[in-house]
Amino acid sequence: MAATGGSIITQVQQGGPPLSNLGDSPGEENLTLDLRGTQFVLSRDELLTLPEFVLLSLFPNGLFPDGQMNSFHDDGVYTVDFDASCLQYMLEFFRQVSSTITIAAVDEDSANEPRETTSPASVLQDRAGIIVLREDLDFYAIPPRRDITHQDMINVKRAAGQVLLKQNGIFSGLRRTEDTGTTEQHLIEMLTAGGFNPDDVWGHRAGEPNKAVICSLALARLRTDPKTGSGEPKDNNMVGMAQKLLLFWRKPARRCWWEGLELDNVEGVNGKLKVWIRRVWTLEMSVIGLR
Protein backbone atom coordinates (compact mmCIF):
# COMPACT_ATOMS: atom_id res chain seq x y z
CA MET A 1 0.00 0.00 0.00
CA ALA A 2 1.53 3.28 -1.04
CA ALA A 3 2.41 5.59 1.80
CA THR A 4 0.87 9.05 1.78
CA GLY A 5 1.23 12.07 4.01
CA GLY A 6 -2.10 11.43 5.70
CA SER A 7 -1.80 7.67 6.03
CA ILE A 8 -2.19 6.26 9.52
CA ILE A 9 0.34 3.57 8.64
CA THR A 10 3.61 4.29 6.82
CA GLN A 11 5.78 1.61 5.28
CA VAL A 12 9.34 1.86 6.49
CA GLN A 13 11.20 -1.12 5.13
CA GLN A 14 11.21 -3.19 1.99
CA GLY A 15 12.04 -6.85 1.63
CA GLY A 16 11.29 -9.60 4.09
CA PRO A 17 12.39 -13.00 5.28
CA PRO A 18 11.68 -16.01 3.10
CA LEU A 19 8.89 -18.42 3.97
CA SER A 20 10.03 -20.88 6.60
CA ASN A 21 8.65 -23.60 8.83
CA LEU A 22 7.56 -24.12 12.37
CA GLY A 23 8.55 -27.33 14.01
CA ASP A 24 11.67 -29.44 14.16
CA SER A 25 13.57 -30.97 11.30
CA PRO A 26 16.81 -32.97 11.17
CA GLY A 27 19.99 -30.95 11.39
CA GLU A 28 18.42 -27.77 12.73
CA GLU A 29 20.46 -25.35 14.76
CA ASN A 30 19.02 -24.82 18.24
CA LEU A 31 19.43 -21.82 20.48
CA THR A 32 18.94 -21.51 24.21
CA LEU A 33 17.71 -18.02 24.99
CA ASP A 34 17.57 -16.50 28.47
CA LEU A 35 14.93 -13.79 28.54
CA ARG A 36 15.16 -12.02 31.89
CA GLY A 37 15.60 -15.31 33.72
CA THR A 38 13.26 -17.48 31.62
CA GLN A 39 14.90 -19.90 29.18
CA PHE A 40 13.62 -20.99 25.77
CA VAL A 41 15.13 -23.61 23.47
CA LEU A 42 14.18 -22.77 19.90
CA SER A 43 15.24 -23.97 16.49
CA ARG A 44 16.63 -21.60 13.91
CA ASP A 45 13.72 -22.39 11.58
CA GLU A 46 11.18 -21.51 14.26
CA LEU A 47 12.96 -18.27 15.06
CA LEU A 48 12.85 -17.26 11.41
CA THR A 49 9.05 -17.45 11.37
CA LEU A 50 8.76 -14.79 14.07
CA PRO A 51 7.99 -11.15 13.21
CA GLU A 52 10.85 -8.94 12.11
CA PHE A 53 10.66 -6.67 15.17
CA VAL A 54 11.19 -9.70 17.43
CA LEU A 55 14.29 -10.83 15.53
CA LEU A 56 15.69 -7.31 15.63
CA SER A 57 15.08 -7.17 19.39
CA LEU A 58 16.59 -10.59 20.04
CA PHE A 59 19.46 -10.30 17.58
CA PRO A 60 20.33 -6.67 16.77
CA ASN A 61 23.48 -7.87 14.99
CA GLY A 62 21.63 -10.49 12.98
CA LEU A 63 20.70 -14.13 13.55
CA PHE A 64 23.82 -16.33 13.76
CA PRO A 65 26.26 -13.57 12.76
CA ASP A 66 29.72 -14.62 11.60
CA GLY A 67 32.01 -15.49 14.48
CA GLN A 68 29.23 -15.62 17.09
CA MET A 69 27.42 -18.90 16.48
CA ASN A 70 29.87 -21.04 18.44
CA SER A 71 29.50 -18.75 21.45
CA PHE A 72 25.90 -19.84 22.10
CA HIS A 73 25.52 -23.15 20.30
CA ASP A 74 25.04 -26.53 22.02
CA ASP A 75 25.00 -25.88 25.78
CA GLY A 76 25.55 -22.13 25.51
CA VAL A 77 22.91 -19.64 26.62
CA TYR A 78 22.24 -16.41 24.75
CA THR A 79 21.02 -13.70 27.15
CA VAL A 80 18.46 -11.25 25.75
CA ASP A 81 16.66 -8.30 27.36
CA PHE A 82 13.17 -9.14 26.11
CA ASP A 83 9.83 -9.89 27.76
CA ALA A 84 9.54 -13.67 28.16
CA SER A 85 5.73 -13.61 28.40
CA CYS A 86 5.55 -11.73 25.09
CA LEU A 87 7.67 -14.35 23.33
CA GLN A 88 5.66 -17.15 24.94
CA TYR A 89 2.41 -15.60 23.66
CA MET A 90 3.81 -15.43 20.12
CA LEU A 91 5.19 -18.96 20.15
CA GLU A 92 1.92 -20.46 21.39
CA PHE A 93 -0.11 -18.56 18.78
CA PHE A 94 2.22 -19.42 15.89
CA ARG A 95 2.37 -23.08 16.90
CA GLN A 96 -1.41 -23.30 17.22
CA VAL A 97 -1.90 -21.83 13.75
CA SER A 98 0.80 -24.09 12.31
CA SER A 99 -0.94 -27.16 13.71
CA THR A 100 -4.08 -26.37 11.67
CA ILE A 101 -2.30 -26.18 8.30
CA THR A 102 -2.73 -29.13 5.97
CA ILE A 103 -1.14 -29.76 2.60
CA ALA A 104 -3.55 -30.04 -0.29
CA ALA A 105 -3.20 -33.14 -2.41
CA VAL A 106 -1.32 -32.50 -5.68
CA ASP A 107 -0.32 -34.76 -8.53
CA GLU A 108 3.32 -35.56 -9.24
CA ASP A 109 3.62 -33.24 -12.26
CA SER A 110 2.20 -30.19 -10.50
CA ALA A 111 4.30 -30.89 -7.40
CA ASN A 112 7.47 -30.48 -9.47
CA GLU A 113 6.37 -27.19 -10.99
CA PRO A 114 7.71 -23.97 -9.43
CA ARG A 115 5.06 -22.16 -7.42
CA GLU A 116 4.53 -18.45 -7.82
CA THR A 117 4.65 -16.70 -4.43
CA THR A 118 3.81 -13.13 -5.37
CA SER A 119 -0.01 -13.20 -5.56
CA PRO A 120 -2.12 -13.28 -2.37
CA ALA A 121 -3.78 -16.56 -3.37
CA SER A 122 -0.50 -18.39 -4.02
CA VAL A 123 1.17 -17.02 -0.89
CA LEU A 124 -1.50 -18.59 1.33
CA GLN A 125 -1.75 -21.90 -0.53
CA ASP A 126 -0.92 -24.52 2.12
CA ARG A 127 0.12 -21.66 4.37
CA ALA A 128 -1.40 -19.22 6.86
CA GLY A 129 -1.07 -15.49 7.31
CA ILE A 130 -0.78 -13.96 10.77
CA ILE A 131 -1.40 -10.27 11.37
CA VAL A 132 1.12 -8.91 13.86
CA LEU A 133 0.20 -5.63 15.54
CA ARG A 134 2.48 -4.09 18.13
CA GLU A 135 2.11 -0.90 20.18
CA ASP A 136 4.93 0.82 22.05
CA LEU A 137 3.41 3.39 24.38
CA ASP A 138 5.66 5.96 26.05
CA PHE A 139 3.96 8.17 28.62
CA TYR A 140 5.07 11.39 30.26
CA ALA A 141 3.27 12.44 33.43
CA ILE A 142 2.87 16.12 34.31
CA PRO A 143 3.72 16.69 38.01
CA PRO A 144 0.39 17.02 39.83
CA ARG A 145 1.82 19.68 42.18
CA ARG A 146 4.87 21.92 42.31
CA ASP A 147 6.36 20.64 45.56
CA ILE A 148 6.29 16.94 44.67
CA THR A 149 9.47 15.06 45.56
CA HIS A 150 11.47 12.97 43.12
CA GLN A 151 10.46 9.70 44.80
CA ASP A 152 6.79 10.69 44.95
CA MET A 153 6.90 11.49 41.23
CA ILE A 154 8.36 8.05 40.53
CA ASN A 155 5.47 6.52 42.48
CA VAL A 156 2.97 8.62 40.52
CA LYS A 157 4.46 7.40 37.23
CA ARG A 158 4.19 3.79 38.38
CA ALA A 159 0.59 4.32 39.42
CA ALA A 160 -0.17 5.99 36.08
CA GLY A 161 1.34 3.00 34.31
CA GLN A 162 -1.03 0.68 36.14
CA VAL A 163 -4.02 2.77 35.04
CA LEU A 164 -2.83 2.75 31.42
CA LEU A 165 -2.31 -1.01 31.51
CA LYS A 166 -6.02 -1.45 32.18
CA GLN A 167 -6.88 0.50 29.01
CA ASN A 168 -6.29 -2.62 26.96
CA GLY A 169 -8.65 -2.23 24.02
CA ILE A 170 -6.66 -2.53 20.80
CA PHE A 171 -8.49 0.24 18.98
CA SER A 172 -9.21 2.53 21.94
CA GLY A 173 -6.24 4.74 21.06
CA LEU A 174 -7.48 5.18 17.49
CA ARG A 175 -11.10 6.10 18.21
CA ARG A 176 -10.48 9.80 18.63
CA THR A 177 -13.41 10.79 16.43
CA GLU A 178 -16.68 9.35 15.25
CA ASP A 179 -16.26 10.88 11.79
CA THR A 180 -16.28 8.44 8.89
CA GLY A 181 -13.64 8.36 6.19
CA THR A 182 -10.73 9.17 8.51
CA THR A 183 -7.41 7.34 8.22
CA GLU A 184 -7.97 5.91 11.72
CA GLN A 185 -11.36 4.52 10.72
CA HIS A 186 -9.89 3.05 7.54
CA LEU A 187 -7.18 1.25 9.53
CA ILE A 188 -9.75 -0.17 11.96
CA GLU A 189 -11.89 -1.41 9.06
CA MET A 190 -8.90 -3.02 7.36
CA LEU A 191 -7.76 -4.83 10.50
CA THR A 192 -11.25 -6.00 11.46
CA ALA A 193 -11.86 -7.25 7.91
CA GLY A 194 -8.54 -9.08 8.07
CA GLY A 195 -8.86 -10.93 11.36
CA PHE A 196 -9.47 -8.75 14.42
CA ASN A 197 -12.78 -7.83 16.06
CA PRO A 198 -13.70 -4.23 16.99
CA ASP A 199 -13.78 -4.99 20.73
CA ASP A 200 -10.58 -7.12 20.86
CA VAL A 201 -8.03 -6.51 23.59
CA TRP A 202 -4.27 -6.86 23.39
CA GLY A 203 -3.10 -10.45 23.69
CA HIS A 204 -0.04 -9.28 25.60
CA ARG A 205 0.31 -5.96 27.44
CA ALA A 206 2.99 -5.19 30.03
CA GLY A 207 5.19 -2.41 31.27
CA GLU A 208 8.92 -2.40 30.62
CA PRO A 209 11.07 -2.64 33.78
CA ASN A 210 12.12 0.76 35.16
CA LYS A 211 10.70 2.63 32.18
CA ALA A 212 7.57 4.66 31.51
CA VAL A 213 6.85 2.37 28.58
CA ILE A 214 4.06 -0.14 27.92
CA CYS A 215 4.50 -2.73 25.17
CA SER A 216 1.45 -4.45 23.70
CA LEU A 217 1.04 -7.15 21.09
CA ALA A 218 -1.95 -8.64 19.29
CA LEU A 219 -2.00 -11.49 16.78
CA ALA A 220 -4.77 -12.62 14.47
CA ARG A 221 -4.94 -15.19 11.73
CA LEU A 222 -5.68 -13.56 8.39
CA ARG A 223 -9.21 -14.39 7.30
CA THR A 224 -9.37 -16.00 3.88
CA ASP A 225 -12.97 -17.23 4.03
CA PRO A 226 -15.63 -15.37 2.03
CA LYS A 227 -17.83 -14.88 5.11
CA THR A 228 -17.67 -12.63 8.13
CA GLY A 229 -17.49 -13.83 11.71
CA SER A 230 -21.29 -13.65 11.95
CA GLY A 231 -21.68 -15.97 8.95
CA GLU A 232 -22.78 -13.26 6.52
CA PRO A 233 -21.04 -13.10 3.13
CA LYS A 234 -18.28 -10.53 2.89
CA ASP A 235 -18.69 -7.72 0.41
CA ASN A 236 -15.96 -7.07 -2.14
CA ASN A 237 -14.77 -4.03 -0.21
CA MET A 238 -14.10 -6.07 2.94
CA VAL A 239 -12.27 -8.76 0.95
CA GLY A 240 -10.15 -6.10 -0.72
CA MET A 241 -9.18 -4.51 2.61
CA ALA A 242 -8.19 -7.90 4.05
CA GLN A 243 -6.03 -8.60 0.99
CA LYS A 244 -4.24 -5.28 1.50
CA LEU A 245 -2.76 -6.68 4.69
CA LEU A 246 -0.73 -9.16 2.66
CA LEU A 247 1.25 -6.21 1.31
CA PHE A 248 2.73 -5.79 4.79
CA TRP A 249 4.28 -9.26 4.57
CA ARG A 250 7.07 -7.83 2.48
CA LYS A 251 6.81 -4.28 3.79
CA PRO A 252 6.38 -3.88 7.57
CA ALA A 253 4.94 -0.49 8.46
CA ARG A 254 5.08 1.92 11.37
CA ARG A 255 3.01 4.84 12.58
CA CYS A 256 3.63 7.27 15.45
CA TRP A 257 1.30 9.83 17.01
CA TRP A 258 0.88 11.84 20.20
CA GLU A 259 -2.12 12.47 22.38
CA GLY A 260 -2.90 14.06 25.71
CA LEU A 261 -4.96 12.27 28.36
CA GLU A 262 -6.33 12.97 31.81
CA LEU A 263 -6.26 9.86 34.00
CA ASP A 264 -8.65 9.25 36.87
CA ASN A 265 -8.02 7.20 40.01
CA VAL A 266 -4.23 7.47 39.97
CA GLU A 267 -2.88 6.54 43.38
CA GLY A 268 -1.24 9.50 45.14
CA VAL A 269 -2.98 12.10 42.96
CA ASN A 270 -5.96 14.22 43.93
CA GLY A 271 -8.17 14.67 40.91
CA LYS A 272 -6.98 13.96 37.38
CA LEU A 273 -3.40 13.36 36.26
CA LYS A 274 -2.37 14.87 32.93
CA VAL A 275 -0.13 12.69 30.77
CA TRP A 276 1.25 12.92 27.27
CA ILE A 277 1.36 9.67 25.35
CA ARG A 278 3.35 8.71 22.30
CA ARG A 279 2.05 5.61 20.54
CA VAL A 280 4.11 3.76 17.96
CA TRP A 281 2.25 1.07 16.04
CA THR A 282 4.10 -1.53 14.02
CA LEU A 283 2.06 -3.61 11.58
CA GLU A 284 3.44 -6.57 9.69
CA MET A 285 2.36 -9.90 8.26
CA SER A 286 3.95 -13.25 8.95
CA VAL A 287 3.34 -16.16 6.61
CA ILE A 288 3.96 -19.64 7.96
CA GLY A 289 3.52 -23.03 6.36
CA LEU A 290 4.75 -26.52 5.76
CA ARG A 291 7.54 -27.33 3.36
Side-chain angles (χ1 to χ4, degrees):
M1 183 166 60
T4 63
S7 175
I8 189 69
I9 273 295
T10 303
Q11 292 168 348
V12 294
Q13 182 172 351
Q14 297 191 5
L19 291 175
S20 49
N21 282 347
L22 282 177
D24 296 328
S25 64
E28 283 185 338
E29 302 290 353
N30 289 329
L31 279 179
T32 300
L33 304 179
D34 188 305
L35 275 61
R36 300 173 183 172
T38 302
Q39 291 193 358
F40 296 82
V41 179
L42 302 174
S43 70
R44 174 174 177 155
D45 277 355
E46 184 165 23
L47 280 168
L48 288 175
T49 65
L50 296 178
E52 183 180 84
F53 84 85
V54 178
L55 296 179
L56 290 175
S57 298
L58 297 178
F59 308 100
N61 297 321
L63 182 60
F64 295 122
D66 293 339
Q68 286 193 22
M69 191 168 76
N70 291 334
S71 67
F72 53 83
H73 188 47
D74 294 331
D75 57 351
V77 177
Y78 192 77
T79 302
V80 183
D81 185 18
F82 192 81
D83 192 327
S85 60
C86 181
L87 181 60
Q88 185 66 42
Y89 165 62
M90 280 184 286
L91 291 174
E92 291 178 355
F93 192 95
F94 274 56
R95 289 166 178 168
Q96 190 278 327
V97 171
S98 180
S99 69
T100 66
I101 300 174
T102 58
I103 301 178
V106 295
D107 58 46
E108 184 175 349
D109 291 336
S110 62
N112 294 327
E113 295 177 356
R115 181 163 57 181
E116 176 65 37
T117 59
T118 57
S119 68
S122 61
V123 165
L124 295 182
Q125 183 179 355
D126 302 332
R127 299 181 174 97
I130 296 178
I131 309 169
V132 181
L133 184 62
R134 177 187 180 182
E135 179 186 79
D136 295 298
L137 185 154
D138 297 29
F139 63 94
Y140 304 85
I142 307 301
R145 57 184 184 275
R146 289 186 176 183
D147 59 346
I148 191 170
T149 65
H150 177 69
Q151 184 58 50
D152 285 345
M153 191 63 204
I154 291 177
N155 294 336
V156 167
K157 290 180 180 179
R158 289 173 178 167
Q162 293 301 313
V163 173
L164 289 170
L165 278 173
K166 297 176 182 178
Q167 299 178 4
N168 61 349
I170 293 177
F171 301 113
S172 59
L174 286 176
R175 290 174 177 153
R176 294 174 291 178
T177 176
E178 297 298 326
D179 296 338
T180 59
T182 63
T183 52
E184 291 87 352
Q185 186 64 29
H186 176 73
L187 179 58
I188 292 173
E189 291 175 355
M190 182 174 65
L191 291 173
T192 52
F196 289 103
N197 295 311
D199 57 350
D200 277 348
V201 298
W202 295 103
H204 167 81
R205 187 169 174 85
E208 284 290 287
N210 303 316
K211 296 179 181 179
V213 177
I214 296 174
C215 295
S216 305
L217 184 70
L219 305 172
R221 182 168 182 168
L222 182 65
R223 293 186 180 123
T224 56
D225 58 277
K227 294 184 178 182
T228 64
S230 62
E232 297 295 325
K234 287 186 179 180
D235 58 40
N236 291 334
N237 188 41
M238 289 183 65
V239 173
M241 284 191 293
Q243 289 179 340
K244 283 182 180 180
L245 288 165
L246 278 175
L247 299 177
F248 296 108
W249 168 46
R250 296 191 183 278
K251 296 182 180 180
R254 188 171 292 114
R255 176 70 177 181
C256 173
W257 71 97
W258 289 82
E259 62 181 303
L261 293 179
E262 292 186 340
L263 301 180
D264 292 310
N265 302 317
V266 178
E267 185 177 353
V269 177
N270 294 324
K272 298 179 182 293
L273 177 69
K274 296 181 179 180
V275 296
W276 280 101
I277 289 177
R278 185 186 70 165
R279 299 182 192 267
V280 180
W281 270 29
T282 303
L283 172 65
E284 65 178 290
M285 284 291 306
S286 289
V287 179
I288 60 174
L290 300 170
R291 284 182 186 157

